Amino acid sequence: MSEIGADKLTRVYIKMRDKLRQMQSEFEQQEADLKAKMQVIEEKLLEICKETGADSIKTPHGTIMRGMKTRYWTSDWESMHNFVREHDAFDLLERRVHQTNMKAWLDENPGLLPQGLNAESRYSVTVRRSK
């Protein structure tokens, strides 16, 4: 059995990637359409809950539950950071490492590593279409 060459594998890979993107695009459009329709229904159900003063309505097909969700954000990160530091309230923020900034930091400061920093490197392959 002969090996398949890089040229053929590249051609097939690009064809598959194009098909995947097409499928993703079609799915995203269908998903957006369904979510828009569901939003209309959710608004009507909220209206029914409000009119009846109910936080829960049981139907033969399911139970509607109305609840309050609150989302928080800031438009002034400097003030938020100062507030967190002043009140030692670091738990108000999510903990994660900014990948691009950490790479830049390590490139500029190769001998200065934060304690507990973990890193994983692995090879990957990128396929670009020829023009």
Side-chain angles (χ1 to χ4, degrees), residues 42-55:
E42 287 175 19
E43 289 170 9
K44 180 61 178 166
L45 290 172
L46 281 170
E47 187 179 308
I48 291 169
C49 287
K50 183 179 178 183
E51 289 171 357
T52 60
D55 287 329

Side-chain angles (χ1 to χ4, degrees), residues 8 16 21 23 28-29 49 113 124:
K8 185 172 184 177
M16 292 171 129
R21 285 183 180 154
M23 292 169 63
E28 287 169 1
Q29 184 58 55
C49 287
L113 301 175
S124 65

Side-chain angles (χ1 to χ4, degrees), residues 3-13:
E3 284 194 33
I4 301 173
D7 182 49
K8 185 172 184 177
L9 288 171
T10 301
R11 183 171 36 89
V12 170
Y13 184 92

Side-chain angles (χ1 to χ4, degrees), residues 6 20 42 45 68 125:
L20 182 60
E42 287 175 19
L45 290 172
M68 180 65 66
V125 67

Side-chain angles (χ1 to χ4, degrees), residues 25-89:
S25 177
E26 291 169 0
F27 171 77
E28 287 169 1
Q29 184 58 55
Q30 292 173 356
E31 181 184 35
D33 292 345
L34 278 175
K35 284 184 175 183
K37 290 174 184 175
M38 290 171 68
Q39 182 63 38
V40 170
I41 293 171
E42 287 175 19
E43 289 170 9
K44 180 61 178 166
L45 290 172
L46 281 170
E47 187 179 308
I48 291 169
C49 287
K50 183 179 178 183
E51 289 171 357
T52 60
D55 287 329
S56 174
I57 301 173
K58 186 173 173 65
T59 76
H61 295 286
T63 303
I64 304 158
M65 293 174 283
R66 179 177 72 155
M68 180 65 66
K69 290 185 180 180
T70 304
R71 182 178 164 269
Y72 302 96
W73 67 94
T74 183
S75 56
D76 183 351
W77 275 104
E78 184 176 347
S79 293
M80 174 62 96
H81 187 256
N82 290 338
F83 178 88
V84 166
R85 287 178 59 191
E86 178 183 342
H87 298 283
D88 194 27

